[in-house]
Amino acid sequence: MKDLFSQVLNMSLTASVMIVLVILVRLALKRAPKIYSYALWSVVLFRLLCPVSLPSPVSLLGALDAPVAEHESRITTVVYFQPETPFQTVRDPEQEARPLPVEERDSAGANLEEGTVSHNAVSLMEILAVTWLAGAVGLYALGIGNYLRFRRKLRYAWKVKGNVYLLDHIDTPFAAGILRPRIYLPSDLPENQRTYIVAHERCHIRRLDLVTRGLSFAALCLHWFNPLVWLAFVLSGRDMEMSCDEAVIRRLGPNIRRAYSQSLLNLAAGGRMFHGAPLAFGEGDTGSRIRNLARWRKPKIGVSMVCLALSLAILVACGLNPERSVPEESTQESTEATTTVPSQPEQSVQDGVDISYSDTVTNGNGSINYTFNIDQSLSYAALPVVEVVPHYLTAEEAQRVARVLFGDAEFYEADPLLAPQYTKGEIEACIQRWSEYSTMEGVTALMGQEDTFTLEKIQQKIAELTAMYDTAPEDSIRIPCRWEFQKEAVYTYSPEEAASIDTSLDNDAIMATCQVNGVTYQFHAVTRNQADYKLNELTAYPDDTKSPLSIDTSIYRARLTRTDPPTEEQIDGVKEKAMEMLQQMDLGDWMVDQCYVRSLGEEILEHVICIAAVPVVDNVAVAYQSQISGLNSDEPDSSNYYMTGAQFEFSANGDLLYFSMSSPIDVKQVVQEQAEPMDLETLLDAAKQYLSVDVSAGYGLLDPSGILSESLETSVEISQLRYGLFRQKVPGTPDSYTYAPGVILYGTYENIGAESRQVYNRSLELYPILAISALDGTVLD
């Protein structure tokens, strides 16, 4: 820890010099566009987080005679003091070369024997290192706590368009999120203010300001003891906001300055010191931002060129180290203790990409107008190409999954769906359970509304079971689960009927029931391996096969989910529980892709924690895909095989409500470790070209001319992309697929009468428009 702390001290001292210089240059650029001042802070952030740099004869640190040691063959590090003795007094070499008098030698020897000198120095360094670490951890924990408290508010936001959401009980708009940034607006924000406020927050997202602010907070935690770093954190935040303000004015025109300034006053959020809070529209020094807007003028080209040249010169001079000035023998010990930075392979594709793409195109027969209006940031880097095959379930695996889900519960063979069996005890339990809902008051409490049809079915079923009671067997007729695959007909029909049915096309299945905490569950494992139909699926849910209108499911869910809204801790606990279950099932590697709370009802809410997991291939999580079938259906040996995924539903208390796993896979081979995707704009051009000739797409109404008195005009607005690993059938193989880089285009559509202009149908949420390979631009099924 002492070596680490000494390295942090060296970095902090170097950055302090840069902070002072940037503040001075910032004053000189007071009238210049703030983007230049904001850019200068990047060199400070670099010096605070990176201990090494490239050597150069042109460096500000060279003018200050900073001591620099060689770190590797092509990079250097600034060393103001050595790791082991950072506060050691520099001695005169000539004096050290002279022999000491006898009395001094004896005194020095006694001190060395007792270890007093070295012990005091080490103790001081250890105390400082521990103090620094405690402060850094405490500040980081404070920021994380602030962030977690803030996240709880976002669960109740609702989408307006794209990545824009409305939220009650907030005072100012803000942007939040790193991988999937979103913009949150107060629900009572006037419509006339939304345009430029959304433009402001999108500017933050495009420039990756949320990432920059997160790194700035990390640097603040690392160098919390340095007051200049706190000053830099505040000033860089102001420059960030002012530069963003100017970008909006430049884009939307200076005539909005008055309304923009008024919004700043109304929505001032005050200074936020910790990154746990988002980038808020009113954040920072409101007065300075308004004054900056008032005097803003579009800069002349000459002024911009001078500012740009000055900024680049300062960035180069501050970002590079001077050539090595510390003798190699004097720094040998310190350089051995310095952490080396491994070289990274060059990649032609950057991890973070801003895409702004606008265009229009009409399809082949003129029936659909497509508008591209994409403005987003996304991770767009090289990904592997992996070939996979279906994993066909075994009886042992089915039993293992059932044990993971339900522990030591006793499992019995499920009754045939069309020939259920009842004992006297089961009839009594059913009648007792359903009698509570045999009145309109009971049905209303359960369903949330009066439901005469459901009431009649419950009363009818109670009467049927009452009539069966005398002839029902006393003893249990339950058969312990055999954990053997059988034809599905066995679980559907009576034994006599199943014997007379051709089961050659049936799926193989294991269907069992169990009871946990008073809730009866059904567990199904289904598999099939035929040329035209392949299936592997595991499901579990509350058993409602014997209840009228599946009323038992409603009863069990009401019992388990009518709780207070789940807390953040409960959500995280359930997410962790799902991941542990997936690991224990041992059916491939998985990663949670989505985790959200679904609340249903009006007066009585039922809260369900929903989790969707995706497979991980070659250490990369694949992109979530809907459960679709019929891939490459024009091939004679094509396979009808669902997309791979796992879903859970839990109550706030962690009770299982639903589980399914579709089509687990085995990795056959890694075809390519790092497949570089095409240029994103070239890819979108290919998508546009395909849509311009396609006549097969239909949105909402597939054959409007046959049911309407007028023709329809279909408009599709494509506004969002998703990049990741998507699955394709391998041509010419019975069951092989590849996960390869691809892009899905999402948008909204509406069908409008050509003459009446009446809207017949429109999508209420983003809809997948087209999937396209990122490697060659071909359209995916």
Side-chain angles (χ1 to χ4, degrees):
M1 193 192 309
K2 293 181 296 182
D3 292 348
L4 177 61
F5 179 50
S6 65
Q7 191 173 68
V8 171
L9 285 175
N10 282 321
M11 294 162 58
S12 198
L13 287 173
T14 303
S16 296
V17 176
M18 304 306 164
I19 292 171
V20 173
L21 177 65
V22 170
I23 290 175
L24 294 176
V25 176
R26 185 175 178 270
L27 293 175
L29 297 176
K30 186 175 182 179
R31 299 290 181 178
K34 296 301 179 184
I35 187 63
Y36 300 107
S37 300
Y38 181 44
L40 292 177
W41 291 112
S42 61
V43 74
V44 174
L45 185 61
F46 170 77
R47 288 293 185 177
L48 288 171
L49 295 178
C50 186
V52 298
S53 184
L54 295 174
S56 171
V58 180
S59 173
L60 174 70
L61 294 176
L64 300 177
D65 199 23
V68 177
E70 185 172 313
H71 183 72
E72 284 188 351
S73 59
R74 299 190 63 182
I75 57 177
T76 60
T77 182
V78 180
V79 183
Y80 292 95
F81 44 76
Q82 301 304 317
E84 291 298 325
T85 56
F87 302 109
Q88 183 177 359
T89 303
V90 177
R91 299 176 180 176
D92 182 0
E94 294 184 3
Q95 182 179 355
E96 292 206 352
R98 294 193 298 268
L100 291 173
V102 175
E103 298 82 9
E104 293 184 33
R105 288 201 302 269
D106 294 341
S107 175
N111 285 336
L112 288 174
E113 287 180 0
E114 296 173 4
T116 54
V117 174
S118 61
H119 175 73
N120 290 336
V122 170
S123 297
L124 176 61
M125 191 60 181
E126 287 179 346
I127 292 172
L128 292 175
V130 170
T131 303
W132 160 74
L133 183 61
V137 172
L139 184 60
Y140 185 78
L142 184 60
I144 292 298
N146 192 28
Y147 172 74
L148 292 177
R149 287 192 297 271
F150 161 74
R151 274 195 62 186
R152 294 191 185 99
K153 299 180 180 179
L154 303 185
R155 299 199 303 264
Y156 305 103
W158 64 94
K159 182 184 292 188
V160 178
K161 182 180 180 182
N163 66 336
V164 180
Y165 289 72
L166 293 181
L167 185 61
D168 292 329
H169 310 302
I170 60 172
D171 299 322
T172 183
F174 57 83
I178 301 298
L179 298 179
R180 298 177 181 176
R182 293 176 176 179
I183 298 169
Y184 296 88
L185 306 177
S187 57
D188 57 353
L189 184 69
E191 288 279 352
N192 58 355
Q193 295 184 17
R194 291 184 181 178
T195 300
Y196 49 79
I197 290 176
V198 169
H200 176 100
E201 302 302 338
R202 281 183 173 165
C203 182
H204 279 315
I205 294 173
R206 283 196 305 271
R207 300 189 318 187
L208 300 180
D209 285 344
L210 291 93
V211 177
T212 302
R213 205 59 174 163
L215 293 175
S216 300
F217 178 67
L220 185 68
C221 293
L222 198 63
H223 302 271
W224 62 268
F225 55 87
N226 190 339
L228 284 176
V229 176
W230 287 85
L231 179 61
F233 185 82
V234 173
L235 294 180
S236 63
R238 291 181 182 178
D239 289 344
M240 177 185 65
E241 293 297 334
M242 289 185 186
S243 64
C244 206
D245 293 339
E246 292 174 352
V248 174
I249 299 300
R250 184 169 57 251
R251 180 178 178 182
L252 300 182
N255 58 325
I256 71 164
R257 277 189 292 189
R258 183 171 181 178
Y260 195 98
S261 299
Q262 186 62 47
S263 296
L264 282 174
L265 288 173
N266 296 339
L267 301 172
R272 280 189 173 92
M273 296 302 294
F274 301 106
H275 184 64
L279 292 180
F281 173 76
E283 188 178 25
D285 187 349
T286 304
S288 297
R289 291 173 63 183
I290 292 176
R291 288 192 295 272
N292 183 64
L293 288 173
R295 62 172 178 256
W296 182 86
R297 297 293 184 274
K298 185 176 182 180
K300 296 181 180 179
I301 296 179
V303 175
S304 297
M305 295 299 292
V306 171
C307 293
L308 179 60
L310 178 61
S311 299
L312 290 176
I314 293 173
L315 289 173
V316 172
C318 295
L320 300 176
N321 287 339
E323 295 179 345
R324 188 168 66 91
S325 59
V326 177
E328 185 175 355
E329 57 270 19
S330 66
T331 61
Q332 182 177 1
E333 182 179 359
S334 64
T335 55
E336 289 177 356
T338 306
T339 303
T340 60
V341 178
S343 59
Q344 298 292 332
E346 294 185 2
Q347 292 187 356
S348 60
V349 182
Q350 296 180 351
D351 189 45
V353 174
D354 292 332
I355 179 66
S356 182
Y357 189 91
S358 300
D359 208 341
T360 58
V361 66
T362 302
N363 76 330
N365 59 12
S367 62
I368 305 175
N369 294 315
Y370 294 95
T371 300
F372 287 78
N373 187 18
I374 301 170
D375 187 6
Q376 72 176 93
S377 299
L378 75 162
S379 179
Y380 194 71
L383 294 175
V385 178
V386 182
E387 184 176 356
V388 300
V389 293
H391 179 91
Y392 295 101
L393 296 170
T394 66
E396 291 78 9
E397 289 170 336
Q399 185 176 17
R400 182 173 65 239
V401 171
R403 290 298 180 196
V404 170
L405 294 173
F406 302 113
D408 295 329
E410 295 183 356
F411 291 88
Y412 298 94
E413 291 284 317
D415 283 343
L417 179 63
L418 300 181
Q421 308 282 324
Y422 293 93
T423 64
K424 282 185 168 61
E426 288 174 328
I427 292 175
E428 290 172 355
C430 289
I431 292 176
Q432 181 180 0
R433 184 166 62 250
W434 299 336
S435 293
E436 183 179 350
Y437 309 102
S438 60
T439 65
M440 184 58 73
E441 182 180 1
V443 169
T444 302
L446 179 64
M447 309 300 292
Q449 60 184 359
E450 293 188 357
D451 190 334
T452 303
F453 183 71
T454 299
L455 175 61
E456 292 175 352
K457 288 297 181 181
I458 291 175
Q459 293 173 342
Q460 179 182 345
K461 191 66 175 181
I462 290 176
E464 289 178 5
L465 292 185
T466 302
M468 293 170 52
Y469 184 81
D470 291 336
T471 58
E474 293 279 355
D475 299 328
S476 173
I477 54 176
R478 290 282 160 234
I479 301 173
C481 184
R482 291 186 286 262
W483 299 112
E484 296 175 357
F485 279 103
Q486 305 177 74
K487 294 301 180 181
E488 273 189 310
V490 174
Y491 297 103
T492 305
Y493 305 100
S494 67
E496 296 76 18
E497 291 174 317
S500 62
I501 293 176
D502 180 11
T503 60
S504 60
L505 299 178
D506 258 12
N507 301 322
D508 294 317
I510 296 174
M511 298 189 181
T513 63
C514 67
Q515 193 170 85
V516 178
N517 297 328
V519 178
T520 303
Y521 289 91
Q522 281 260 345
F523 173 78
H524 294 181
V526 182
T527 183
R528 182 173 178 179
N529 182 11
Q530 294 189 10
D532 61 341
Y533 192 79
K534 299 179 183 295
L535 177 66
N536 284 286
E537 190 170 35
L538 296 155
T539 55
Y541 48 85
D543 186 5
D544 57 13
T545 56
K546 295 182 178 181
S547 66
L549 301 177
S550 302
I551 200 67
D552 274 341
T553 295
S554 299
I555 294 173
Y556 292 141
R557 291 177 75 94
R559 181 191 305 173
L560 299 175
T561 63
R562 293 185 180 180
T563 62
D564 292 332
T567 64
E568 200 70 30
E569 290 75 17
Q570 287 176 313
I571 296 172
D572 291 340
V574 164
K575 182 178 177 181
E576 184 177 351
K577 180 177 181 178
M579 278 304 303
E580 290 177 356
M581 285 182 166
L582 289 170
Q583 291 171 1
Q584 294 169 7
M585 291 175 189
D586 194 22
L587 290 172
D589 297 326
W590 297 84
M591 179 176 174
V592 171
D593 181 74
Q594 300 175 25
C595 180
Y596 59 94
V597 176
R598 184 176 68 237
S599 298
L600 301 176
E602 296 180 359
E603 296 182 0
I604 303 177
L605 288 177
E606 296 182 355
H607 305 287
V608 179
I609 302 175
C610 304
I611 293 174
V614 295
V616 175
V617 295
D618 196 33
N619 297 317
V620 178
V622 309
Y624 178 78
Q625 290 174 267
S626 301
Q627 297 297 335
I628 59 175
S629 60
L631 298 177
N632 295 320
S633 56
D634 56 329
E635 294 185 19
D637 60 347
S638 90
S639 305
N640 184 356
Y641 197 68
Y642 288 149
M643 293 301 174
T644 301
Q647 291 81 37
F648 293 87
E649 290 184 3
F650 290 96
S651 71
N653 296 321
D655 304 293
L656 182 67
L657 302 171
Y658 176 79
F659 165 76
S660 73
M661 179 183 288
S662 299
S663 306
I665 55 174
D666 292 325
V667 174
K668 183 177 181 180
Q669 63 172 332
V670 178
V671 179
Q672 189 172 351
E673 289 285 353
Q674 295 288 315
E676 299 283 356
M678 298 171 58
D679 175 74
L680 197 50
E681 290 203 10
T682 304
L683 199 62
L684 289 173
D685 288 340
K688 185 183 68 174
Q689 176 63 28
Y690 174 82
L691 293 175
S692 69
V693 298
D694 179 49
V695 296
S696 63
Y699 302 97
L701 299 175
L702 298 180
D703 186 19
S705 60
I707 59 176
L708 299 175
S709 59
E710 61 177 334
S711 60
L712 293 185
E713 295 177 358
T714 300
S715 299
V716 178
E717 182 182 8
I718 300 173
S719 59
Q720 189 170 322
L721 305 176
R722 182 167 187 184
Y723 173 70
L725 291 179
F726 297 102
R727 195 160 86 187
Q728 281 184 280
K729 182 73 169 53
V730 177
T733 64
D735 56 4
S736 290
Y737 301 83
T738 57
Y739 278 105
V743 170
I744 292 184
L745 283 64
Y746 291 89
T748 55
Y749 63 84
E750 62 179 7
N751 294 301
I752 304 176
E755 300 175 1
S756 66
R757 311 311 298 171
Q758 175 185 348
V759 177
Y760 286 95
N761 191 28
R762 62 158 53 102
S763 58
L764 300 178
E765 57 186 19
L766 287 175
Y767 181 87
I769 305 299
L770 184 67
I772 188 168
S773 168
L775 300 182
D776 56 17
T778 58
V779 174
L780 307 179
D781 294 309

